[in-house]
Amino acid sequence: MTRLVFHNFIRSNSVKIGLLFLLLTGIISLFIGKQFLEKQKQNIIETDVYQKEQISRNVEFHKDDIGLLLYYLKFSLVNKTPEITGLSIGQRDVNASIKSVSILGLEGQKYDTELNNPYNLLLGNLDFSFVLIFLFPLVIIAFTFNIISEEKESGTWRIVSVQSKTSFKIILQLFLVRFLSILGVFLLIFFLAIPILNIPINASFWGFMGMSIGYILVWFGICFGVASLHKNSNFNAVILFSIWIFLIIILPATVNNYLVSTYPVPEALETTLQQRKGYHEKWDMDKKTTMDKFFAHYPQFKNFPKPENGFNWLWYYAMQQMGDDESAQYAKELQEKLEQRTMVSSNIARFIPTLHMQIQLNEIAKSGLKNQLNFLEATNKFHEKNRLYFYPKIFKSESVESENWKAFQIENFSDEKFSNSMGLYVPLLVFILFFGVFGWFNFNKNKGLV
Amino acid sequence: MSYEILTAKLFWKTAFKNKAVFLLTLFIGVLLVYAAYTGWSNFKTQNEIRTKYQAEARKDWLSNPDKHPHRMAHYGHFAFRPKAPLSVFDFGMESFFGSMIFLEAHKQNTVNFSEASFSTGMLRFGEISIAMILQVLLPLLIFFIGFGAIATERQNGTLKILLSQGLTWRSLILGKSLGIIAVVMTLFVPIVLTMIGLCFILQESDFSKDEIFRLFLIIVFYFIYLGIFCVVAVLISAVSKTSKTALTSLIGIWLFFTIILPRASQALGSSIYETPSKAKFTSAIHKDVLQFGDSHNPNDPYYKKLKDSLLAVYKVDSLKKLPFNYSGYQMREGEKISANIYNQHYDQLLNIYEKQNSFSKAMAFVNPFMAIKNISMALSSTDFASFTDFQKQAEKYRYHLAQEMNELQMKYISNDAEGSSGKKHILDKKHWEEVEEFEYKPSNISLVFKNELISFFAFAFWIVLLVFFSNKLSKTLKAI
């Protein structure tokens, strides 16, 4: 019986078009993901070349002044892009994946942006997460909105339901066939992603897949629930499409507006202003004030000769340090505000499957705000490490030649941790269960209607 | 003409008898209020924040004591990008633009802290602004109202009767279109009034002629835009056998216009014309600057020639004897060279962006949604051109700030000074006030006409196209 239903279903032209449409956009999205990954690789190669170039050129020019040399040198930290990011590019196009920072004040360099065409950002990437979150539900709706109503409208439903003992079983079969064909297309695209994007098969991979299947089921659940109301095809189409618009466009955008107006981020501007002041005003102050603060922060440098008159690198770098130290409180507030935003949005997202998917897929693909915050944190550590390495050398005026400058390659940060927790699936499961039970209940209650 | 009006009136009446239409209209109305409110409150908060920090940055600058002017050149200033008043209506690309830029000597910084950089990723679903509702949701409402306009009459058999009573296809199409437009006006007119009201409140009646003209054009073009969708709905309904086919075709068209085409065309543009990496961009500028002349290299031919010619002109044998500060002079030259080279590279970058966007712009001929999006953003000053305008003004300010400090150094600082620290070679702080505060001057509307010419043409094209099809179909359509 199921086989017959399947043959019936797959013969239809509109079904072939629907499945082909998903397959095609899915494959295009994989190549867009691939292009993104290659661009990232290219950026890293270019950054590497540039870092080597500028180090060797500056070492050449400032052979006898290590303090001046380190005023110019920039060191890069790369936020590693795992292959799975190709499936969900998320915020990676907005936020820089490479930070090139000198050992001067960090707060003035940390937030510098990549080169971006805002039009690209505005219209968004056609990545796989878009195909999955936006387009899959549309085809699911197109396949199921008239599942029973069509047969009823053409008068064939009575024949079908008379021939079978339980019409509910037929309904389930009709849905099952559609689910299996959509699932088939999804799995085909998803497994094509392995060779195209070189995705390693690990927990993230399975997590991504599990959530995607859950999401597809949510939409089948919604369609099942609506079909159980036994309305006509036009009504079903309008209702299902309205739900789609509501979940994909209106609700997320409303939440976004709410978040933006409830959590503005003036801390960012405050931090930048304070770091400028914190550093620059020290030029006009007594050297001792600066040095006392600096030695309080780094007691290990106390024994270096205190600067007296005129310019001195120890004093200069202490002043730079003050830019960071005196804006640290605001930088922390900024970070806390952003963490708050992440938390609030993932909490709200639990109740909106589309949002939940986008945020969690970005999380799995390491392309969300959390990843960016982790990367900024890693940049802090990277910068501090470089500082502490070079400070004593500068303060002792070591010779430039004594350092092996070739050793300063770009460094990598990788945000590997991923836990396949139940929290990812529960919001989806609740939706599936709710609509499933709702549909089941209605179908059984309205047996007479059929 | 009376036939058309009659048909329109009838349509209007039946449309509002439909509970679903009434509820949808109401819902969109509520959404509009929310959009207007959040747009307005965000505009207010952001501009308050930015004005506050702009003033604080200026205060910090002025509170500097007497010091060497080069220290001030590095102290620098900040430019905060004010949100345009019409951004309340259309957020455009606002969320993807940075809000502040640090302006200092020798260095062109990026405009940092965009809303997108603080976003968790939900921004990608879009934002609710009045413009978004007009661009995306109203066309859909039009399609929901209009899909049955003619197809239902055909299905019910009433179409035959209407036509046999002497109603022509022409008046039928026109009448139904007018009917849908009338229904949509129940939302559009209040929106227009609210917008005008909001703008006057925001500006405290300090509304420039330029802005009034912008607002006027926005209203006109949105009216045309919605009109296009009304006619499309009626035409599709007229060619469809059943109302179901009409509905599904219209939904398909809507999805294609608003969801799929925009992303696809931009993806095509950005994959063909690749944006350079920042490392490549910076290193190219660096190389060009070094090639021109390297002020760090004592034997650099460019600066050596400069020195020799100065010594010859002033008939002195050492730089210390020049009547002005040589180091200031050299920095002035260096700034001129590097700023020039930077601007050239930056223009090249903008050129790449323009090429990337050319697909989306040309798409306006296929997709009226792109036409209105581009025109609306440009008129609301939330498009990329407005942003680059800010960036260019900020860069100009930065350049002048650096050069003013260099000139002060040339004029007042002795050639005996070594470096810029210490209390010996310093300048009176009264000079800091001489540097004017940064103030962004909004661009003129003529820029919109220049940049969005193609979108204006697209609108003309769409009008001609629909008139053509209406005429053609009037002659060939059948009642069954």
Side-chain angles (χ1 to χ4, degrees):
Chain A
M1 182 69 192
T2 313
R3 263 174 77 185
L4 191 71
V5 176
F6 181 73
H7 278 288
N8 234 341
F9 168 70
I10 209 77
R11 262 208 330 250
S12 149
N13 261 334
S14 55
V15 168
K16 280 181 200 146
I17 292 171
L19 294 177
L20 211 65
F21 168 72
L22 285 186
L23 190 63
L24 206 71
T25 47
I27 290 174
I28 291 172
S29 78
L30 294 184
F31 281 99
I32 286 175
K34 189 183 167 75
Q35 197 181 26
F36 172 79
L37 292 178
E38 273 164 8
K39 177 93 210 292
Q40 294 283 323
K41 270 191 204 131
Q42 189 60 32
N43 285 358
I44 294 170
I45 293 171
E46 282 167 10
T47 308
D48 186 40
V49 170
Y50 182 55
Q51 172 159 332
K52 282 180 187 143
E53 256 175 34
Q54 54 109 3
I55 289 182
S56 67
R57 190 181 55 236
N58 281 303
V59 166
E60 181 76 14
F61 283 154
H62 309 293
K63 273 190 207 109
D64 40 9
D65 192 346
I66 192 166
L68 185 61
L69 174 64
L70 282 153
Y71 171 87
Y72 289 107
L73 291 195
K74 285 193 169 187
F75 306 97
S76 305
L77 180 70
V78 172
N79 184 6
K80 263 180 100 177
T81 314
E83 284 76 11
I84 203 165
T85 310
L87 290 178
S88 182
I89 297 171
Q91 293 295 94
R92 281 287 187 125
D93 56 353
V94 171
N95 297 322
S97 293
I98 301 170
K99 297 276 172 197
S100 301
V101 289
S102 68
I103 65 163
L104 304 181
L106 178 62
E107 291 302 325
Q109 321 175 52
K110 199 161 92 175
Y111 309 101
D112 282 354
T113 58
E114 255 294 335
L115 301 179
N116 267 330
N117 175 359
Y119 213 134
N120 293 344
L121 303 179
L122 174 73
L123 294 179
N125 282 304
L126 214 165
D127 60 355
F128 182 64
S129 73
F130 166 75
V131 174
L132 179 74
I133 295 172
F134 282 61
L135 305 183
F136 265 75
L138 283 173
V139 177
I140 295 174
I141 290 172
F143 282 3
T144 55
F145 80 97
N146 57 359
I147 207 163
I148 304 162
S149 53
E150 172 109 325
E151 305 236 21
K152 279 208 301 202
E153 279 150 28
S154 60
T156 47
W157 181 251
R158 243 166 224 293
I159 307 170
V160 180
S161 55
V162 164
Q163 280 173 348
S164 165
K165 268 183 197 145
T166 54
S167 52
F168 185 60
K169 216 173 145 192
I170 301 176
I171 294 166
L172 281 185
Q173 268 173 349
L174 290 171
F175 270 97
L176 185 69
V177 162
R178 282 152 180 79
F179 171 68
L180 289 178
S181 40
I182 297 262
L183 184 69
V185 172
F186 165 75
L187 289 176
L188 182 58
I189 301 170
F190 202 65
F191 283 99
L192 276 175
I194 302 174
I196 293 177
L197 300 175
N198 277 323
I199 297 182
I201 300 173
N202 53 20
S204 304
F205 178 83
W206 296 121
F208 201 111
M209 190 173 109
M211 284 204 71
S212 306
I213 295 174
Y215 180 72
I216 290 173
L217 275 170
V218 166
W219 279 99
F220 269 100
I222 292 173
C223 293
F224 182 71
V226 170
S228 76
L229 298 173
H230 290 289
K231 301 281 187 187
N232 64 43
S233 305
N234 278 1
F235 177 88
N236 288 348
V238 170
I239 279 292
L240 285 172
F241 191 60
S242 301
I243 293 177
W244 182 85
I245 301 240
F246 201 67
L247 287 180
I248 293 269
I249 296 176
I250 296 173
L251 219 48
T254 310
V255 174
N256 183 63
N257 279 27
Y258 163 77
L259 219 67
V260 169
S261 52
T262 319
Y263 300 97
V265 197
E267 292 86 351
L269 311 184
E270 185 75 51
T271 308
T272 316
L273 248 67
Q274 291 299 340
Q275 63 83 22
R276 173 178 78 158
K277 210 171 161 186
Y279 155 56
H280 277 279
E281 66 183 15
K282 304 295 180 295
W283 284 93
D284 313 310
M285 287 180 171
D286 184 22
K287 286 195 176 76
K288 191 176 176 306
T289 336
T290 310
M291 295 323 299
D292 285 349
K293 281 183 182 168
F294 183 72
F295 291 142
H297 187 158
Y298 296 114
Q300 67 265 44
F301 300 132
K302 247 183 192 155
N303 297 327
F304 284 101
K306 286 197 180 87
E308 297 295 329
N309 287 321
F311 184 81
N312 162 299
W313 284 118
L314 172 55
W315 174 54
Y316 178 80
Y317 282 98
M319 291 196 290
Q320 283 282 350
Q321 180 78 45
M322 288 309 114
D324 283 351
D325 286 7
E326 285 171 24
S327 62
Q329 174 206 342
Y330 304 99
K332 197 169 150 251
E333 280 171 21
L334 168 62
Q335 197 198 343
E336 279 165 4
K337 179 65 83 60
L338 295 182
E339 271 160 14
Q340 196 180 13
R341 271 188 168 211
T342 335
M343 212 181 66
V344 173
S345 59
S346 48
N347 279 344
I348 296 178
R350 275 187 208 145
F351 303 96
I352 307 167
T354 45
L355 260 184
H356 179 70
M357 278 301 280
Q358 186 69 73
I359 288 176
Q360 297 306 332
L361 290 187
N362 287 352
E363 203 54 42
I364 293 176
K366 302 293 167 210
S367 58
L369 182 58
K370 216 184 245 171
N371 168 268
Q372 182 62 21
L373 291 177
N374 291 343
F375 179 47
L376 285 178
E377 188 59 45
T379 310
N380 288 346
K381 287 195 185 124
F382 172 72
H383 182 258
E384 187 67 12
K385 187 191 81 184
N386 286 340
R387 244 181 189 167
L388 288 177
Y389 180 78
F390 285 115
Y391 272 175
K393 292 178 189 271
I394 296 168
F395 304 158
K396 274 187 274 190
S397 308
E398 276 188 12
S399 83
V400 171
E401 278 127 17
S402 66
E403 190 64 49
N404 176 18
W405 294 103
K406 288 215 164 65
F408 294 94
Q409 306 276 334
I410 50 175
E411 288 185 28
N412 288 303
F413 160 70
S414 76
D415 188 6
E416 294 293 352
K417 60 175 182 286
F418 164 73
S419 52
N420 215 337
S421 71
M422 271 321 276
L424 295 177
Y425 306 101
V426 168
L428 299 177
L429 286 176
V430 168
F431 270 89
I432 298 168
L433 262 173
F434 173 78
F435 285 105
V437 169
F438 175 80
W440 178 78
F441 183 76
N442 268 337
F443 272 123
N444 281 309
K445 192 181 74 181
N446 296 336
K447 253 181 193 158
L449 276 176
V450 189
Chain B
M1 195 64 194
S2 58
Y3 273 133
E4 288 91 348
I5 302 291
L6 212 68
T7 319
K9 266 190 182 162
L10 203 67
F11 185 90
W12 203 82
K13 268 189 192 159
T14 37
F16 274 102
K17 267 190 200 144
N18 187 334
K19 233 201 225 151
V21 170
F22 178 74
L23 282 175
L24 263 173
T25 315
L26 193 74
F27 175 69
I28 293 184
V30 173
L31 217 56
L32 274 164
V33 174
Y34 180 71
Y37 173 72
T38 47
W40 177 73
S41 86
N42 194 29
F43 170 82
K44 247 184 61 181
T45 345
Q46 283 301 326
N47 274 356
E48 269 166 24
I49 291 173
R50 293 177 197 183
T51 323
K52 178 186 151 199
Y53 285 108
Q54 185 76 61
E56 206 173 306
R58 176 69 179 176
K59 209 180 88 200
D60 287 351
W61 165 270
L62 291 176
S63 67
N64 273 290
D66 300 352
K67 59 165 92 176
H68 190 290
H70 193 57
R71 291 265 48 83
M72 286 306 277
H74 275 287
Y75 192 85
H77 192 34
F78 291 95
F80 293 82
R81 189 177 56 80
K83 271 168 111 73
L86 281 170
S87 72
V88 173
F89 164 74
D90 187 349
F91 302 171
M93 298 182 190
E94 273 282 326
S95 297
F96 299 95
F97 300 150
S99 55
M100 65 168 280
I101 178 169
F102 181 43
L103 310 169
E104 60 179 324
H106 324 307
K107 196 168 169 239
Q108 285 83 356
N109 289 304
T110 51
V111 189
N112 292 346
F113 304 124
S114 66
E115 177 52 44
S117 68
F118 301 139
S119 169
T120 52
M122 65 165 74
L123 180 61
R124 294 319 172 82
F125 288 95
E127 297 166 284
I128 292 214
S129 65
I130 304 177
M132 174 269 186
I133 295 175
L134 289 176
Q135 288 168 9
V136 178
L137 299 183
L138 277 199
L140 194 65
L141 181 72
I142 290 172
F143 284 174
F144 279 171
I145 297 170
F147 74 93
I150 293 179
T152 315
E153 306 251 22
R154 176 180 280 129
Q155 241 175 329
N156 298 343
T158 43
L159 183 59
K160 247 188 196 164
I161 303 168
L162 282 175
L163 290 172
S164 66
Q165 279 172 345
L167 190 67
T168 59
W169 268 106
R170 245 185 100 83
S171 352
L172 188 66
I173 291 175
L174 195 63
K176 294 280 187 186
S177 305
L178 285 175
I180 306 176
I181 292 177
V183 176
V184 176
M185 282 309 114
T186 55
L187 277 171
F188 190 64
V189 173
I191 293 171
V192 168
L193 294 177
T194 325
M195 260 163 57
I196 296 172
L198 264 179
C199 287
F200 276 96
I201 295 170
L202 277 175
Q203 293 291 290
E204 283 137 6
S205 69
D206 184 27
F207 220 59
S208 69
K209 260 190 199 139
D210 188 81
E211 275 160 339
I212 291 174
F213 193 32
R214 279 168 189 268
L215 191 60
F216 171 73
L217 283 184
I218 285 178
I219 294 166
V220 169
F221 276 97
Y222 273 95
F223 181 77
I224 300 175
Y225 174 72
L226 295 173
I228 289 174
F229 279 89
C230 293
V231 177
V232 167
V234 173
L235 290 183
I236 295 288
S237 184
V239 296
S240 301
K241 283 244 146 50
T242 63
S243 60
K244 198 186 100 190
T245 344
L247 177 65
T248 42
S249 323
L250 286 171
I251 289 180
I253 290 175
W254 181 86
L255 282 171
F256 203 61
F257 278 178
T258 55
I259 307 286
I260 296 165
L261 263 187
R263 276 190 199 233
S265 57
Q266 196 62 27
L268 188 67
S270 58
S271 70
I272 293 178
Y273 301 103
E274 219 168 89
T275 314
S277 72
K278 201 173 170 189
K280 200 175 174 184
F281 181 74
T282 333
S283 114
I285 293 173
H286 226 98
K287 269 183 193 149
D288 280 3
V289 172
L290 287 180
Q291 211 168 33
F292 206 98
D294 179 8
S295 55
H296 294 301
N297 181 354
N299 300 318
D300 182 83
Y302 177 82
Y303 284 97
K304 198 163 180 301
K305 220 175 113 192
L306 197 72
K307 275 179 216 167
D308 292 344
S309 66
L310 277 179
L311 294 177
V313 167
Y314 288 93
K315 300 196 176 74
V316 286
D317 54 4
S318 110
L319 292 171
K320 293 215 168 191
K321 290 182 186 156
L322 283 172
F324 51 81
N325 180 287
Y326 175 71
S327 145
Y329 179 85
Q330 193 189 20
M331 280 193 288
R332 194 179 71 176
E333 280 301 295
E335 191 72 61
K336 198 157 79 188
I337 295 164
S338 63
N340 244 328
I341 290 172
Y342 176 85
N343 287 340
Q344 278 167 23
H345 281 264
Y346 187 67
D347 284 340
Q348 278 168 21
L349 182 70
L350 289 183
N351 202 8
I352 296 177
Y353 290 163
E354 215 143 276
K355 280 184 191 157
Q356 290 180 342
N357 301 346
S358 61
F359 288 87
S360 292
K361 284 205 165 169
M363 210 38 87
F365 287 97
V366 185
N367 183 358
F369 172 72
M370 285 318 293
I372 194 72
K373 204 176 177 71
N374 290 332
I375 287 186
S376 173
M377 284 193 294
L379 287 171
S380 310
S381 307
T382 52
D383 63 337
F384 190 45
S386 308
F387 178 67
T388 44
D389 183 49
F390 166 80
Q391 244 178 337
K392 291 207 162 154
Q393 287 187 30
E395 166 57 18
K396 210 169 145 195
Y397 182 89
R398 185 200 71 77
Y399 182 73
H400 283 295
L401 179 92
Q403 295 301 47
E404 264 182 83
M405 292 304 124
N406 287 334
E407 266 151 37
L408 285 175
Q409 181 171 345
M410 282 171 66
K411 206 166 159 189
Y412 295 110
I413 302 296
S414 144
N415 268 321
D416 298 330
E418 303 231 347
S420 56
S421 72
K423 301 257 193 271
K424 201 170 162 213
H425 299 284
I426 51 175
L427 202 60
D428 193 286
K429 66 177 180 188
K430 69 169 196 241
H431 290 286
W432 315 152
E433 270 172 60
E434 288 163 11
V435 180
E436 267 180 56
E437 165 69 316
F438 173 79
E439 196 188 347
Y440 174 67
K441 287 180 194 64
S443 62
N444 196 275
I445 194 167
S446 57
L447 198 72
V448 176
F449 295 122
K450 207 183 108 211
N451 289 331
E452 294 304 332
L453 201 62
I454 199 168
S455 309
F456 288 111
F457 275 128
F459 263 110
F461 168 78
W462 271 93
I463 294 171
V464 172
L465 189 78
L466 289 179
V467 169
F468 171 77
F469 271 112
S470 307
N471 275 331
K472 200 175 166 192
L473 288 173
S474 301
K475 285 169 201 146
T476 55
L477 275 172
K478 299 276 176 328
I480 318 160

